[in-house]
Every structure is written in structure tokens, then in C-alpha cells.
Amino acid sequence: MKATENDVTPEEIFLNRREILGQFGLGLGMAATLGPLNAMATVAGNPAKLNPKFDPKDALRPLTSMELATKYNNFYEFSLEKDEVHKKVEKWKLGKWTLDIAGHINNKKTWDVEDLVKKLGVEERIYRFRCVEAWSMVVPWTGFPLQKLIALVEPTSKAKYIKFTSFNDRGIGTNMDSLLGYPWPYTEGLTLAEANHPLAMMVSGMYGKPLPKQNGAPLRLIVPWKYGFKSIKSVTKIEFVEERPIGLWEALAPKEYGFYANVNPQVDHPRWSQASERILDGSFFPKKVKTLMFNGYEQDVAHLYAGLDLTKNY
Ligand SMILES: Nc1nc2c(c(=O)[nH]1)N[C@H]1C(S)=C(S)[C@@H](COP(=O)(O)O)O[C@H]1N2
Ligand SMILES: [Mo]
């Protein structure tokens, strides 16, 4: 499918680059483009040639509707009910939002998120998005590669990991106090090498529009080869640290939610299988499909984990 002028919405006029790396990842060329929202996302190139064991049909999936992706959310600061989150965020007045970038870097600064997004520019990418709860979507995100931010702030040799922190404001997250024992705020972490991978991005929009509050406005992380809980929403602080950060979910249940949390069909969650997933389509029984290693981005990211035994959980 080729993008035509008709596909371009007003929000995209300021996009300086429009490329879709999602469905098959980086190795397969840049020809894929966003078509009508319910169309199959297609790519150029021949994945089977690059990886004989890989059936391209397994990775080719329809785009999730915007309606579904913005009304079925995990955002515990607001609600545990996925279909309640979009209602519970209504009272949140999203004004000026600052992002503190700190730690072992040369260019520490508290940014106005709008200025940062303007400075680094945005591009669009369609990625599969797979929750640890065994459901998935396919979402067109807009944002900038995290590696651009890393280059901007210039980490020193002491920086080994990046720690991300969400807001810690009960006036915003009206459900935070009801979750006793949760070590708020929501935090997550990546190794510097993971964060520097070109697929990792900071997202400020979806479906060509500004990011809705329920999806983590104004700026969130998206790491498409990892379970969704790694993709922290509404980030207020990014710290370059020496020690491996322990995220909220790892702190709560380390045997269930590890640090790496790479999508891996061979390693079951202690309470359910990860071998397959339901691709959400709004129906009562969405189609069940095999889960792909690294969520289908194996060729792009496997080298990051060269020393790890992928039959084990991390
Ligand atoms: N701050 C924060 N970030 C979060 C969560 C959360 O509860 N709070 N949930 C995570 C989980 S489990 C998933 S699956 C995704 C859901 O993102 P979506 O609602 O945009 O699909 O966000 C992740 N990021
Ligand atoms: Mo999730």
C-alpha cells in the first residue's frame, strides 16, 4: 500500500518523516505506509528470504481501530477496569508538562515536553503491541526514537541504564490511593543499549493525533519487543543511572514481571501461557494467534540478548 496525499491528516503536516517500521521491523525496508485505518499494513521486501523459518503471514495483522485502542486501556493510576480509564481521565486538565532529564549526562535540563517534541521532531510507526495479559493490538504511533533524546543529552560513561518515572500526583491519578502497597509512582527501566535501539521510541501521538490522556499523554515510552507494562505512560522524569532500576511491577511481583520482559512465547507467565495471544478486534472472541519471539522483532533485537538463555524468564 502506498501513502497518498489523501492519507495525510492535518496533524501530520508537521511530521518531518513518515515511516512505518512496525510490522516486520527494521530489516525489511521502509516501503510500508499507513493506509486506511482498518486495512492490512503491508511491507515491501521478502521476510521469508531473510528468515526461512519466519512465516510473514504470522506478522501481518490488521491495524486496531482507534476506538478500541483508546477505550481499552491499562492505566492503574486511574482504574483497574480497562473500559473505565478513558472516562476517569476526563477531569485531568493536561496543561504544560515538564520532563526532567537527569543523572549521568552532560546536558541536564527540565524540558517543556512540547519544546522537546518540537526539537526532536516526530515520525510515524506501526507497531504490534503485546500485553503480558496475552492480548495484542497494532497501533500507529507518532513520536521520536529514544536514541535521538540520548544523543541530545550526552550520557557519560557512568550511565548504564535509564529509569523512567510517571507522575506521582493523586490529583491526577485518582485511583492511586486505593491501590495500597503499590510503590507509586509507576517506574520502568531499560539498559542503555536497549534504549538506544532504533525501534524504542518516545510517543506523543497515535493515529495521527495528539496522544490521548488514557494512552499516556503527553509523552510515553513504546518498546515494541517487550510486554506492554514496560511502555510507561505520562513520563515526568528520565534518569541515566548506574544501577539497574526496579520498576513498579518488578517490585510488586518479580517472578511474574521481570526486568527484561521481552515478549517470549517459550516462557509462560507463572499463571498463564504466553504461547499465544488474542488480537483484539472489539468482538467477543478475538482471533487467537501464535505469539512471535520478541513480538516479531527478533531479527532486529535478538543481538541485544546474545548472552541470555531465552528459554528462561528474566
Ligand atoms: N504509568 C503507567 N504506565 C503504564 C501502565 C500503567 O498502569 N501506568 N500500564 C502498562 C500496561 S500493563 C500496558 S499493557 C500499557 C497499555 O497501554 P495502552 O492503554 O495505551 O494500550 O501501558 C503500560 N504503561
Ligand atoms: Mo499490560
Side-chain angles (χ1 to χ4, degrees):
M1 223 170 298
K2 196 141 174 46
T4 66
E5 291 310 307
N6 298 338
D7 295 327
V8 180
T9 62
E11 286 82 4
E12 286 155 1
I13 288 163
F14 63 84
L15 302 186
N16 58 13
R17 202 145 64 104
R18 194 161 196 269
E19 60 183 42
I20 310 299
L21 305 170
Q23 291 273 0
F24 292 109
L26 286 177
L28 297 156
M30 305 294 172
T33 50
L34 178 61
L37 290 186
N38 56 0
M40 278 291 199
T42 58
V43 293
N46 182 355
K49 207 164 149 190
L50 291 169
N51 178 0
K53 282 190 226 148
F54 183 78
D55 182 348
K57 285 201 297 301
D58 287 343
L60 193 63
R61 298 178 185 177
L63 219 55
T64 304
S65 74
M66 183 173 141
E67 172 79 7
L68 185 59
T70 57
K71 294 200 167 138
Y72 185 94
N73 302 102
N74 272 335
F75 206 163
Y76 276 24
E77 287 90 330
F78 293 95
S79 177
L80 303 192
E81 303 298 325
K82 297 181 207 307
D83 58 352
E84 287 289 313
V85 175
H86 70 98
K87 299 174 211 160
K88 295 282 166 66
V89 299
E90 273 171 20
K91 284 197 212 108
W92 172 19
K93 298 265 177 293
L94 184 69
K96 186 178 150 81
W97 191 273
T98 56
L99 173 67
D100 194 14
I101 311 186
H104 299 296
I105 54 176
N106 291 328
N107 303 320
K108 297 188 182 89
K109 182 171 167 175
T110 300
W111 284 86
D112 179 324
V113 164
E114 223 180 310
D115 294 341
L116 183 67
V117 173
K118 265 190 211 132
K119 172 143 187 106
L120 296 180
V122 295
E123 53 192 85
E124 181 172 62
R125 299 182 180 179
I126 298 175
Y127 286 154
R128 286 178 294 278
F129 186 69
R130 207 289 196 178
C131 175
V132 74
E133 300 162 336
W135 52 262
S136 68
M137 300 186 185
V138 177
V139 179
W141 304 107
T142 41
F144 53 83
L146 184 50
Q147 61 175 200
K148 273 196 180 177
L149 181 149
I150 296 170
L152 178 74
V153 303
E154 296 175 11
T156 68
S157 59
K158 275 195 169 166
K160 300 282 187 284
Y161 298 89
I162 303 186
K163 177 181 175 185
F164 301 83
T165 305
S166 289
F167 60 84
N168 197 13
D169 182 342
R170 269 75 179 163
I172 300 175
T174 46
N175 193 43
M176 292 167 82
D177 278 337
S178 78
L179 292 169
L180 296 171
Y182 275 56
W184 300 115
Y186 200 104
T187 57
E188 260 307 336
L190 297 172
T191 67
L192 195 57
E194 291 176 318
N196 253 318
H197 192 284
L199 286 174
M201 63 186 312
M202 295 306 298
V203 160
S204 60
M206 64 197 290
Y207 299 87
K209 297 186 163 62
L211 195 62
K213 289 180 275 188
Q214 62 269 32
N215 294 91
L219 194 69
R220 74 178 297 180
L221 177 67
I222 287 291
V223 193
W225 69 93
K226 293 179 179 285
Y227 292 119
F229 71 87
K230 295 294 293 184
S231 292
I232 181 172
K233 295 175 167 181
S234 306
V235 176
T236 59
K237 191 168 190 182
I238 296 182
E239 283 166 282
F240 290 71
V241 296
E242 226 174 326
E243 304 279 311
R244 184 172 83 67
I246 296 175
L248 176 133
W249 282 109
E250 190 186 354
L252 277 172
K255 293 209 165 62
E256 305 192 9
Y257 310 105
F259 172 74
Y260 286 105
N262 294 315
V263 175
N264 186 342
Q266 305 175 73
V267 181
D268 289 341
H269 184 278
R271 293 181 278 131
W272 59 83
S273 166
Q274 295 291 27
S276 64
E277 68 205 57
R278 302 267 180 200
I279 304 178
L280 299 186
D281 57 8
S283 73
F284 206 70
F285 277 115
K287 196 172 144 207
K288 200 173 183 179
V289 299
K290 278 186 289 181
T291 285
L292 303 168
M293 190 66 198
F294 293 109
N295 205 22
Y297 303 101
E298 183 174 10
Q299 293 195 355
D300 299 306
V301 303
H303 68 273
L304 293 172
Y305 310 101
L308 291 187
D309 176 357
L310 295 177
T311 64
K312 296 208 178 82
N313 201 358
Y314 298 98

